[in-house]
Amino acid sequence: MGVTIKEVAKAAGVAPSTVSRVIADHPRISPATKKRVKKAMKEMGYHPNANARNLANRSTQSLGVVMPSSADKALQNPFFPEVLRGISAVAHEMDYSILLCTGETDEQMLEAVERMVYSNRTDGIILLYSQVNDPIMAFLIEQNFPFVVVGKPSERVDEITHVDNDNVRAGKEITNHLIEIGHECIAFIGGSTDRIVTIDRMKGYESALEEAGLPYLDEYRIHTEFLKSGGRQAVHELFSLPQPPTGLVIADDLMSIGVVNMLEELGMHVPEDISIVSFNNVYLSEITRPPLTTVDIHIHGLGSQAAKCLIEKVKNKEEPAKRIIVPFDIKYRSSTQEKEAPTEV
Amino acid sequence: MGVTIKEVAKAAGVAPSTVSRVIADHPRISPATKKRVKKAMKEMGYHPNANARNLANRSTQSLGVVMPSSADKALQNPFFPEVLRGISAVAHEMDYSILLCTGETDEQMLEAVERMVYSNRTDGIILLYSQVNDPIMAFLIEQNFPFVVVGKPSERVDEITHVDNDNVRAGKEITNHLIEIGHECIAFIGGSTDRIVTIDRMKGYESALEEAGLPYLDEYRIHTEFLKSGGRQAVHELFSLPQPPTGLVIADDLMSIGVVNMLEELGMHVPEDISIVSFNNVYLSEITRPPLTTVDIHIHGLGSQAAKCLIEKVKNKEEPAKRIIVPFDIKYRSSTQEKEAPTEV
DNA sequence: GTGAAAGCGCTAACAG
DNA sequence: CTGTTAGCGCTTTCAC
């Protein structure tokens, strides 16, 4: 194994505790010894053993990150690498490591999280999703274990630290954009209503329609897991309505890409026949055809803020719950187009 | 903190060492005490402290996973979540945790890896990419630290355990497909030639052309970082050649999506005017327009095999270097189309 | 089969 | 300012 603190101490002619103090950058230590010890450390290639440190400190200097279960196709969403980047950036800066947690099924996920917590492998946890009735969140709360969620918790919103966008407002603004450019029949397509993010974005959509006095039929709201078979059917029905929509608010860029393709197959063109807006602004939304008008939610920022909050919380158990709202902005691209006034004969 | 081994020992009326033996499922222990201890553990909600265990064992029960630096847009490639799933599956099964390692710049990455290794945070490392002159790999070799690479190392191929597809053969087969359906002018578009995967796929492409006696001009090979500005230019030039290609072999699905869109903008249709094949079979390649004919490289398998190899290597330092080739298969979809014989007048 | 005791490598009082 | 000492929670000889 590597060099230990004792060996360094001996080499520098001091006690191990002194070396420890140098490592911790303790104030009350003479510059002379400090220098001497540092020199010895360098010469001997000393690096503190994280395990031993953590044992002595009862900490782990690591953050657990829980992704959604991989049963979920959504895991392939570029959202995740991006949010990981954000987390990683501040984790690295603050000298924390990242412990990843996935699993095939929900039970496996819970089990993995339990193990992490019980065996003291992590100081705190970041939940990368938020859904109703989440057993993992319930477990964390019950254990009073530090965690933050990226997104909005489904309940006890004020007691749980979370980092989110104002998805309701974002939903409203992006829908308003569609309204402003002349659309009156606007439908919403989102994933499962178990996901809070879907709900919020839809709320925004509804409130925009309401304020504008536009119709929002039940038939205008589609919730489909992730395209494919079921989704196709739903979209098909949407456009078989007597009054088919001319604008679509879609809860996620990836979904948009699927929908655009589906529409084109059905002989409808985006944006000529139908305008589409969505959320996230993943890299793909720029290079797809047409490039998507979408809400840039600043994924990286969500990640970095979450890490920051969690670290604060870990360092100070009494840190009050807080809510961080990461601003968004809208990227206007060519999936939307002015709706010409209906040709009245 | 939690319950300790001592408390369990006291409750069960045995010595701590006995409890330890029960945890480790030591053979020489009477069924009676074993049962008694287990009962106590359960009742008290005992869970071993990973840190203490690892310190005593000089191990960490965790695997480090190194992603490419996030400077790389490619990080948003769904390849990563998917390969993580694979790693995760076996890690979980074998009771290892996953330590993630990213960084904004290459230096930051190296630094992060060094810290992981020096501070004994991980037992072994999986490199999720392979490129020439990689300082991280050099470091790992120099330290004689256990690692495996997903992909093919740029050098010392027989000394480094790696998990890869036979990318040369895959490149050849997929190119042959294009040839079989009548294409004769086939170009290759790939990312940086620093990445081994690009090189191998291109070799396959070349060898297919050669065997078929088809031309492979220098102008038919494009290496572009990741579309956008530079890429557009290159593609544009490709189709300004006196003999523009009718088939395209593209090194990555995501790139294909960009290229398809670019072509459509230029007024060319896939597959009517030009056929496209690529690699990876990420989820998107099914839902894009048109769905892509692509090599399914079994990303999940790459991940799980890598984890398996690494764990073997970690458990047995003497484990010889090995190479695991994960099979691939081709998904035929509608980005390719028979090329009608040139209309000879 | 089980217990006592000595560590794993580091930190943190408590003295001085 | 620095050394001594006693752990952190678990494993592992070595006895019995």
Side-chain angles (χ1 to χ4, degrees):
Chain A
M1 297 249 39
V3 189
T4 76
I5 205 173
K6 274 190 185 170
E7 305 176 287
V8 176
K10 188 181 292 179
V14 297
S17 48
T18 304
V19 179
S20 175
R21 287 184 185 104
V22 173
I23 296 170
D25 208 24
H26 194 98
R28 285 188 319 207
I29 197 144
S30 82
T33 34
K34 189 169 190 167
K35 202 173 140 202
R36 197 148 38 91
V37 171
K38 284 214 162 161
K39 181 153 163 280
M41 298 201 302
K42 181 149 249 169
E43 282 177 6
M44 311 177 69
Y46 170 76
H47 295 272
N49 176 314
N51 250 323
R53 267 193 114 169
N54 294 337
L55 179 58
N57 287 330
R58 282 167 211 72
S59 94
T60 67
Q61 288 292 105
S62 78
L63 309 180
V65 174
V66 181
M67 313 242 271
S69 115
S70 68
D72 208 330
K73 267 286 181 233
L75 191 64
Q76 285 210 13
N77 200 311
F79 173 85
F80 294 103
E82 187 64 12
V83 75
L84 279 174
R85 270 189 58 209
I87 294 173
S88 191
V90 347
H92 183 259
E93 189 187 341
M94 310 287 276
D95 261 323
Y96 275 79
S97 27
I98 294 177
L99 224 44
L100 207 65
C101 196
T102 346
E104 306 284 320
T105 66
D106 287 355
E107 305 82 66
Q108 234 182 68
M109 297 281 328
L110 176 58
E111 194 189 306
V113 172
E114 286 179 350
R115 275 197 7 222
M116 259 183 153
V117 171
Y118 284 142
S119 62
N120 266 274
R121 279 182 170 288
T122 180
D123 293 342
I125 282 185
I126 299 178
L127 255 30
L128 288 193
Y129 61 91
S130 168
Q131 61 190 17
V132 299
N133 282 130
D134 181 24
I136 294 186
M137 201 166 91
F139 168 75
L140 261 13
I141 292 177
E142 179 209 314
Q143 296 285 320
N144 191 25
F145 194 81
F147 73 100
V148 315
V149 358
V150 172
K152 193 169 83 185
S154 59
E155 42 190 15
R156 313 221 214 167
V157 183
D158 322 296
E159 303 166 38
I160 299 173
T161 294
H162 60 281
V163 179
D164 197 12
N165 305 104
D166 185 341
N167 277 308
V168 177
R169 201 157 65 74
K172 189 165 171 185
E173 286 191 18
I174 195 87
T175 307
N176 274 337
H177 173 57
L178 244 24
I179 296 174
E180 277 157 20
I181 60 176
H183 293 271
E184 302 193 329
C185 298
I186 303 174
F188 178 91
I189 301 182
S192 158
T193 44
D194 283 350
R195 293 291 222 249
I196 312 305
V197 59
T198 310
I199 300 179
D200 278 358
R201 290 173 180 175
M202 188 172 73
K203 274 189 195 151
Y205 152 84
E206 287 176 351
S207 107
L209 291 194
E210 187 165 27
E211 279 188 20
L214 293 175
Y216 62 101
L217 322 172
D218 277 354
E219 295 78 30
Y220 272 9
R221 289 193 304 257
I222 295 189
H223 294 284
T224 163
E225 248 334 305
F226 219 58
L227 316 169
K228 310 293 305 179
S229 42
R232 304 188 74 78
Q233 182 59 24
V235 170
H236 206 276
E237 280 168 19
L238 188 58
F239 287 92
S240 313
L241 291 177
Q243 180 89 285
T246 66
L248 246 35
V249 178
I250 301 180
D252 181 291
D253 286 341
L254 233 52
M255 227 178 239
S256 284
I257 292 177
V259 171
V260 170
N261 295 332
M262 212 176 285
L263 291 176
E264 295 276 340
E265 274 176 39
L266 299 175
M268 281 174 284
H269 301 299
V270 181
E272 295 80 1
D273 301 324
I274 180 151
S275 284
I276 285 189
V277 298
S278 61
F279 298 80
N280 284 17
N281 192 34
V282 296
Y283 173 57
L284 263 168
S285 64
E286 274 181 77
I287 65 166
T288 193
R289 165 174 41 110
L292 303 175
T293 292
T294 187
V295 178
D296 185 345
I297 60 171
H298 297 161
I299 305 180
H300 188 278
L302 288 169
S304 59
Q305 291 292 339
K308 206 169 285 179
C309 283
L310 182 56
I311 293 177
E312 280 174 11
K313 216 178 153 102
V314 158
K315 290 199 170 159
N316 171 17
K317 272 269 192 180
E318 300 312 315
E319 191 74 20
K322 63 183 79 152
R323 167 205 307 239
I324 308 278
I325 298 298
V326 173
F328 61 84
D329 59 280
I330 300 184
K331 300 293 182 203
Y332 297 96
R333 292 198 275 247
S334 38
S335 64
T336 44
Q337 175 179 299
E338 197 106 4
K339 172 99 174 71
E340 63 268 22
T343 29
E344 316 222 11
V345 198
Chain B
M1 298 256 29
V3 190
T4 75
I5 205 172
K6 273 190 184 170
E7 305 174 289
V8 176
K10 190 182 289 180
V14 297
S17 48
T18 304
V19 179
S20 174
R21 289 189 182 100
V22 172
I23 296 170
D25 210 24
H26 194 99
R28 286 188 317 206
I29 198 144
S30 83
T33 34
K34 189 169 191 167
K35 201 171 141 202
R36 198 148 36 91
V37 171
K38 284 213 163 164
K39 182 151 162 280
M41 298 200 301
K42 181 150 250 169
E43 282 176 4
M44 311 177 69
Y46 170 76
H47 294 272
N49 176 313
N51 249 323
R53 267 193 114 172
N54 295 337
L55 178 58
N57 287 328
R58 282 166 215 72
S59 94
T60 67
Q61 289 290 104
S62 78
L63 309 179
V65 174
V66 180
M67 312 241 273
S69 118
S70 68
D72 208 331
K73 268 286 181 234
L75 192 64
Q76 285 210 14
N77 201 310
F79 173 86
F80 294 103
E82 187 65 13
V83 74
L84 279 174
R85 270 189 58 210
I87 294 173
S88 192
V90 347
H92 184 260
E93 189 188 340
M94 310 289 275
D95 261 322
Y96 276 79
S97 21
I98 293 176
L99 223 45
L100 206 64
C101 198
T102 345
E104 307 284 321
T105 64
D106 286 355
E107 304 81 67
Q108 235 182 68
M109 297 281 328
L110 176 58
E111 194 189 308
V113 171
E114 287 179 349
R115 276 199 4 225
M116 261 183 151
V117 170
Y118 284 141
S119 63
N120 266 274
R121 281 184 169 286
T122 180
D123 293 343
I125 283 186
I126 299 179
L127 254 30
L128 288 192
Y129 63 91
S130 169
Q131 60 190 15
V132 299
N133 281 129
D134 182 23
I136 295 188
M137 199 167 93
F139 168 74
L140 262 15
I141 292 177
E142 179 208 312
Q143 295 286 320
N144 192 23
F145 194 80
F147 74 98
V148 315
V149 357
V150 173
K152 193 170 85 186
S154 60
E155 41 189 17
R156 312 221 212 169
V157 183
D158 323 295
E159 303 165 38
I160 300 173
T161 294
H162 59 282
V163 179
D164 196 12
N165 307 103
D166 185 341
N167 277 309
V168 176
R169 202 159 62 75
K172 188 166 172 184
E173 286 190 18
I174 195 86
T175 306
N176 274 336
H177 173 57
L178 244 25
I179 296 174
E180 278 157 19
I181 61 178
H183 292 272
E184 304 193 328
C185 298
I186 304 174
F188 177 90
I189 302 182
S192 159
T193 43
D194 283 350
R195 293 292 221 249
I196 313 306
V197 59
T198 309
I199 300 178
D200 278 358
R201 289 173 181 174
M202 187 172 73
K203 274 189 196 151
Y205 150 84
E206 287 177 351
S207 106
L209 291 194
E210 187 167 26
E211 281 187 18
L214 293 175
Y216 61 103
L217 323 172
D218 277 353
E219 296 77 32
Y220 273 8
R221 289 193 303 256
I222 296 188
H223 295 284
T224 163
E225 247 334 306
F226 220 58
L227 314 169
K228 310 295 304 177
S229 42
R232 304 186 74 77
Q233 181 60 24
V235 171
H236 205 276
E237 281 169 17
L238 188 57
F239 287 93
S240 313
L241 290 177
Q243 180 89 282
T246 67
L248 245 36
V249 177
I250 302 181
D252 180 292
D253 286 340
L254 232 54
M255 228 179 238
S256 283
I257 292 178
V259 171
V260 171
N261 295 331
M262 212 175 286
L263 291 177
E264 296 275 340
E265 273 176 40
L266 299 175
M268 282 175 281
H269 302 298
V270 180
E272 295 81 0
D273 301 324
I274 179 150
S275 284
I276 284 189
V277 298
S278 61
F279 297 82
N280 285 15
N281 192 34
V282 297
Y283 174 57
L284 264 168
S285 64
E286 274 180 77
I287 65 168
T288 193
R289 166 171 42 108
L292 303 176
T293 292
T294 187
V295 178
D296 185 344
I297 60 171
H298 297 160
I299 305 179
H300 188 277
L302 288 170
S304 59
Q305 290 293 340
K308 204 168 288 178
C309 284
L310 182 56
I311 292 177
E312 281 174 11
K313 216 178 152 98
V314 159
K315 291 199 169 157
N316 172 17
K317 272 269 193 177
E318 300 314 313
E319 191 74 19
K322 63 182 82 151
R323 166 203 307 237
I324 308 277
I325 298 299
V326 173
F328 61 85
D329 60 280
I330 299 183
K331 302 292 183 202
Y332 297 95
R333 293 197 277 247
S334 37
S335 65
T336 43
Q337 177 179 298
E338 196 108 4
K339 172 98 174 68
E340 64 269 18
T343 30
E344 315 221 11
V345 198

